[in-house]
């Protein structure tokens, strides 16, 4: 694995800290399992991308629309609002979160292929920046709902540039046979149709080819394709206000190379040249992924003839990425031990599924009652958690310097059953 600092953490002596707070004290104060975020790591990750894009744009306009689905905690959305972010949402619920967190509707773009009439009306009333339209029927519906409200829906077509993101098939979204987006070769005629619809105003073009990319070239290739589409549209008399190549910049989970953000931003700018359009990006994972860990306690050490297990109090319901995508998360001891005290363990949760494994074949020295930190858990962690096995979802804590603040209470079983009723 990479140096522990890569993950926004560090050892003081042998105890693991996030900023100025030891994870032992977080567990003592808030219990486990708990998601622990670093305000400094989050701010730094946002700042790196923002600085790269700002420099490449050299005074031209751009907005980083953080993909809310990566981590939608209100404290995180509020922090990003203060840093100047816009937001990319995929549901009416996410819009309400953004507004509650103080985000500006006019910096919100709305992606997602199943927008309901109610969600569309809510977003129009809030005055969002743009709808990223994923199909022709959606375009017709948008025009209808907007016309009924006597407004125009600003739209961008999410086109499918048919570029292979070369990432896990479950997080690859830019190929032809994918459910997302409008086929590239149909885009021009769909824009023509959009131009005739009474409730539509054309604002931009968008794509998103996949997630956890470790090489920028597919992202740049997709950008070149949508820029050339924008040129074709200009020839057809349709001027765009913005161009958005989506999100997808990966993070280091183990040893994956990191996309060089300066080169990436410069390549996007080179594709745009002097066209008078705003650049939008929709980064999710790159902002929050390595700003969070999942803190968990060892319940049992189960030694076997062929395999040893550390049975911990976090499970696939808390962090589903390993089970869902065969994702690898580094797992480290909160109290560091000597190498010779370590054994090989599968780190597993208590859920009744064989796929409930947080990490296979890890060298760890933890004993019962000790703490482990599952790294790189800030993105697609808590947000994908469930209550499977009637497990209340974890608490979320944000560290800022020497201060640890609860930003979401641990759920209770009482709360879980509160909306359930017996027959008379
Ligand atoms: C999920 C998603 C993103 C963010 O993807 P990351 O890989 O987390 O950067 C951006 N845009 C759209 C449309 C998405 O669905």
């Amino acid at each position: 694995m990479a140096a522990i600092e890569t993950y926004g953490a560090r050892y003081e002596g042998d105890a693991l800290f996030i900023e100025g707070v030891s994870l032992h004290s977080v567990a003592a104060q808030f219990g486990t399992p708990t998601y622990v975020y670093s305000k400094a790591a989050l701010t730094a990750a946002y700042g790196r991308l923002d600085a790269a894009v700002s420099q490449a744009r050299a005074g031209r306009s751009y907005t980083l629309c953080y993909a809310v689905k990566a981590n939608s905690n209100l404290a995180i959305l509020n922090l990003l609002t203060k840093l100047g972010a816009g937001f990319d949402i995929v549901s009416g619920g996410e819009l309400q979160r953004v507004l509650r967190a103080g985000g500006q509707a006019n910096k919100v773009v709305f992606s997602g292929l199943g927008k309901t009439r109610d969600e569309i009306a809510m977003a129009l009333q809030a005055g969002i920046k743009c709808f990223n339209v994923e199909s022709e029927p959606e375009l017709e519906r948008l025009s209808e709902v907007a016309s009924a409200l006597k407004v125009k829906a600003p739209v961008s077509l999410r086109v499918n540039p048919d570029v292979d993101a070369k990432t896990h098939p479950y997080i690859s979204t830019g190929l032809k046979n994918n459910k997302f987006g409008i086929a590239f070769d149909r885009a021009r005629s769909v824009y023509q149709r959009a131009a005739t619809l009474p409730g539509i105003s054309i604002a931009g073009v968008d794509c998103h080819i996949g997630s956890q990319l470790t090489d920028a070239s597919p992202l740049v290739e997709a950008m070149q394709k949508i820029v050339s589409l924008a040129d074709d549209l200009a020839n057809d008399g349709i001027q765009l206000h913005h161009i958005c190549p989506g999100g997808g910049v990966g993070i280091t989970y183990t040893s994956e190379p990191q996309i060089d953000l300066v080169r990436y931003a410069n390549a996007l700018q080179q594709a745009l040249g002097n066209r008078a359009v705003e650049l939008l990006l929709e980064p999710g994972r790159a902002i929050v992924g390595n700003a969070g860990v999942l803190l968990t306690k060892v319940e049992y050490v189960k030694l076997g003839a062929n395999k040893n297990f550390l049975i911990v109090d976090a499970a696939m319901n808390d962090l589903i990425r390993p089970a869902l995508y065969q994702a690898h998360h580094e797992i480290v001891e909160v109290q560091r031990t000597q190498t010779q005290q370590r054994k090989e363990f599968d780190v597993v949760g208590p859920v009744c599924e064989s796929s409930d494994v947080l990490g296979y074949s890890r060298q760890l020295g933890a004993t019962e009652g000790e703490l482990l930190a599952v790294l790189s858990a800030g993105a697609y962690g808590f947000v994908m958690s469930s209550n499977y096995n009637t497990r209340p979802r974890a608490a979320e804590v944000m560290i800022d310097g020497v201060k640890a603040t609860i930003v979401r209470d641990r759920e209770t079983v009482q709360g879980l059953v509160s909306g359930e009723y017996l027959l008379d």
Side-chain angles (χ1 to χ4, degrees), residues 65-70 88-90 109-112 132 134 158 171 173 180 206-213 244-250 281-288 379-380:
C65 294
Y66 167 70
V68 173
K69 74 179 196 283
D88 171 36
I89 59 168
V90 291
V109 298
F110 192 170
S111 302
N132 291 338
E134 303 231 10
R158 174 173 176 178
I171 50 177
T173 56
F180 298 101
D206 175 85
C207 71
H208 173 69
I209 61 169
S211 203
Q212 185 49 21
L213 276 79
C244 176
V249 171
L281 293 180
E282 298 167 350
R285 190 188 313 266
I287 308 293
V288 287
Y380 308 106

Side-chain angles (χ1 to χ4, degrees), residues 49 53 57 60-66 84-88 106-111 128-132 154-156 203-208 219 223 226 241-248 264 268-269 272 277-283:
L49 183 60
V53 177
R57 292 294 280 160
R60 303 179 189 90
S61 62
Y62 72 93
T63 303
L64 303 184
C65 294
Y66 167 70
F87 297 95
D88 171 36
N106 64 7
K107 286 181 155 185
V108 169
V109 298
F110 192 170
S111 302
I128 66 164
K129 182 179 178 72
C130 190
F131 292 85
N132 291 338
V155 304
S156 175
V205 62
D206 175 85
C207 71
H208 173 69
L219 294 169
M223 180 68 168
I226 60 174
H241 303 288
H242 68 249
I243 295 188
C244 176
Y264 164 63
L268 296 181
Q269 177 52 36
L272 278 176
V277 290
E278 181 182 6
L279 171 65
L280 300 191
L281 293 180
E282 298 167 350

